[in-house]
């Protein structure tokens, strides 16, 4: 354990000598490293030894104790300065405390009181050391976890739980690489499971490409996607910004494909000047990404493009085709069921204003209707997370095949139930004839 360093400053040698022998300094882990007869000499010693405690007389020829206290604060702000004075002067005491002296003692010194002041100074030093250690530990932990903390706050912003202004004003330590205006959100979806090293590599690649031309932050807290919040230059025209976004997005797709052999699909939300619309841009990017259901993966989907063709409406539903599918399942009609399924999807593909969520919702409605009938017929089936599969299907063909496989599976179940029923009926008739 390092000794605490002490410097004694007094113009009387006998006082300095008395102070040196007045206390068992080793008891408090203190070493008297230097002494001086005036404040100007003491300043040089303070610079050299960087003491923890300074004991100084108030009256000295060139630099007095009050001035020394003030100057020592610039050199060793942590040091505890104890001022000794032969005069009970309130103004002196007030000035000493204003100059951040630790304590003020009157001569002649009562050594029992002097020792208590030294003890108090050592306790104060230890407490400050502990505080510095805790602060460093906290700072190290904060720096280590800062990326995760930053991503959590950015998630809160995009979910609407906190505003961008709140986060930036109240959390300076986050050092968000974002201006307070001109935002756009990108959702970058990765297809396939990622190893930890791949995830890090993909994140670094995306960061290098996106932030070469745009200021922003990347969020890596989702298993299958990255979220990017970008600023664009106010002076640039929107068409130029969109063109640049499309260009770097295609570059991200190509690089990730070439380096990591992973297909990437990107949705780009709307451009907004005000940070309150960040959440809008995020949801628009997610909605744009949904169009991979129709046009496939490894593409860039711009909300600005799809918003022109998107029209919200209470979509009608092909109940007649649904009835055909239900009947086909009930009678185990494996020959015609495929045509019914084709008719169901063709019904929607013929609509120019179809949006992905409507087709997905129609498939879910068909599933719920079939499930209700299956329960009525008392069939024992494996659902196989069908609802989740419909919600997560990435492409049109994947969605169609999911529905098709489930219905064909049910037709086989129904056909088996029908054969079993016929077999049991024949067996019952034969037993009746035999017994009568």
């Amino acid at each position: 354990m390092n000794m605490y360093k002490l410097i004694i400053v007094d113009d009387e040698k006998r006082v300095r000598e008395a102070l040196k022998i007045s206390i068992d300094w080793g008891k408090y882990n203190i070493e008297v490293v230097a002494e001086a007869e005036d404040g100007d000499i003491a300043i040089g010693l303070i610079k050299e030894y960087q003491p923890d405690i300074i004991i100084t007389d108030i009256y000295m020829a060139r630099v007095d104790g009050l001035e020394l206290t003030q100057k020592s604060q610039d050199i060793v702000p942590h040091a505890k300065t104890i001022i000794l004075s032969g005069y009970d002067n309130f103004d002196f005491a007030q000035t000493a405390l204003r100059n951040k002296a630790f304590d003020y003692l009157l001569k002649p010194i009562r050594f029992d009181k002097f020792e208590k002041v030294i003890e108090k100074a050592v306790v104060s030093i230890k407490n400050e050391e502990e505080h510095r250690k805790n602060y460093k530990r906290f700072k190290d932990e904060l720096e280590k976890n800062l990326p995760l903390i930053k991503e959590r706050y950015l998630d809160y912003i995009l979910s609407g739980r906190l505003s961008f202004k709140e986060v930036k004003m109240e959390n300076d330590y986050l050092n968000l690489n974002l201006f307070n205006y001109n935002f756009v959100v990108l959702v970058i979806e990765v297809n396939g499971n990622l190893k930890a090293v791949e995830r890090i590599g993909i994140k670094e690649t995306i960061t290098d490409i996106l932030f070469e031309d745009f200021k922003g932050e990347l969020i890596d807290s989702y298993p299958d996607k990255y979220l990017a919040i970008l600023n664009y230059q106010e002076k640039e025209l929107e068409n130029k910004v969109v063109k640049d976004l499309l260009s770097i997005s295609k570059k991200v797709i190509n690089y990730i494909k070439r380096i990591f052999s992973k297909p990437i699909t990107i949705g780009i939300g709307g451009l907004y000047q005000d940070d309150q619309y960040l959440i809008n841009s995020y949801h628009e990017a997610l909605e744009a990404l949904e169009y991979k259901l129709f046009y496939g993966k490894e593409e860039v989907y711009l909300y600005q493009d799809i918003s022109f063709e998107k029209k919200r409406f209470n979509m009608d539903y092909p109940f007649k085709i649904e009835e055909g599918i239900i009947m086909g399942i009930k009678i185990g009609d494996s020959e015609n069921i495929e045509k019914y399924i084709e008719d169901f999807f063709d019904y929607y593909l013929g609509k120019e204003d179809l949006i992905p969520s409507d087709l997905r919702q129609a498939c879910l409605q068909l599933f719920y209707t079939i499930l209700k009938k299956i329960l009525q017929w008392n069939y024992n089936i494996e659902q196989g997370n069908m609802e989740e599969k419909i919600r997560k299907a990435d492409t049109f063909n994947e969605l169609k095949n999911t529905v098709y496989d489930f219905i064909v599976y049910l037709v086989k179940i129904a056909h088996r139930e029908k054969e079993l029923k016929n077999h049991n009926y024949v067996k019952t008739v034969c037993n009746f004839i035999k017994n009568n």
Side-chain angles (χ1 to χ4, degrees), residues 261-307:
S261 301
K262 295 290 182 183
I264 295 279
T265 310
I266 300 177
I268 303 177
L271 278 60
Y272 293 97
Q273 292 183 342
D274 198 314
D275 64 89
Q276 67 176 311
Y277 296 111
L278 254 173
I279 189 171
N280 294 42
S281 188
Y282 170 51
H283 286 296
E284 289 165 0
L286 287 173
E287 192 168 346
L289 198 62
E290 276 287 298
Y291 275 74
K292 69 180 182 291
L293 190 68
F294 297 148
Y295 306 115
K297 303 171 187 175
E298 297 185 77
E299 295 288 346
V300 182
Y301 295 103
L302 190 66
Y303 182 79
Q304 177 180 295
D305 291 341
I306 68 166
S307 60

Side-chain angles (χ1 to χ4, degrees), residues 333-430:
D333 186 2
S334 55
E335 291 183 10
N336 293 310
I337 199 70
E338 188 171 336
K339 180 182 179 303
Y340 286 126
I341 298 170
E342 288 291 338
D343 289 346
F344 182 85
F345 282 95
D346 287 346
Y347 180 86
Y348 289 105
L349 284 182
K351 295 182 177 296
E352 292 182 2
D353 48 9
L354 178 67
I355 60 176
S357 58
D358 287 332
L359 179 57
R360 210 181 290 276
Q361 192 59 43
C363 291
L364 285 170
Q365 182 169 329
L366 177 62
F367 167 67
Y368 296 143
T369 304
I370 292 172
L371 194 61
K372 184 178 177 181
K373 292 294 182 182
I374 292 297
L375 291 172
Q376 289 175 1
W377 299 335
N378 202 27
Y379 286 176
N380 185 21
I381 65 163
E382 294 286 339
Q383 292 184 38
N385 298 321
M386 185 64 184
E387 183 176 350
E388 185 179 354
K389 288 178 180 178
I390 291 173
R391 293 188 187 281
K392 289 190 174 182
D394 277 332
T395 64
F396 175 81
N397 285 337
E398 187 178 336
L399 180 61
K400 182 178 177 181
N401 290 337
T402 298
V403 174
Y404 176 84
D405 291 344
F406 180 66
I407 292 174
V408 168
Y409 161 71
L410 294 178
V411 169
K412 289 179 180 177
I413 295 289
H415 186 72
R416 188 186 67 199
E417 291 288 333
K418 185 179 177 182
E419 286 186 339
L420 183 61
K421 187 176 180 181
N422 289 338
H423 174 75
N424 289 337
Y425 178 74
V426 171
K427 189 176 179 181
T428 301
V429 170
C430 289

Side-chain angles (χ1 to χ4, degrees), residues 37 58 60 198 230 329 345:
E37 63 186 27
I58 198 164
M60 290 177 289
E198 288 177 323
L230 304 181
I329 294 172
F345 282 95

Side-chain angles (χ1 to χ4, degrees), residues 21 72 87 95 109 119 128 165 193 196 201 206 213 241 303 315 343 395:
I21 63 172
S72 68
Y87 301 91
T95 304
I109 299 166
E119 185 177 358
E128 287 177 9
K165 284 188 177 71
N193 295 324
I206 293 171
D213 297 314
V241 176
Y303 182 79
M315 189 176 66
D343 289 346
T395 64

Side-chain angles (χ1 to χ4, degrees), residues 6 69 75 263 314 320 374 396 399:
L6 168 70
T69 302
I75 305 167
N314 293 323
K320 286 290 182 185
I374 292 297
F396 175 81
L399 180 61

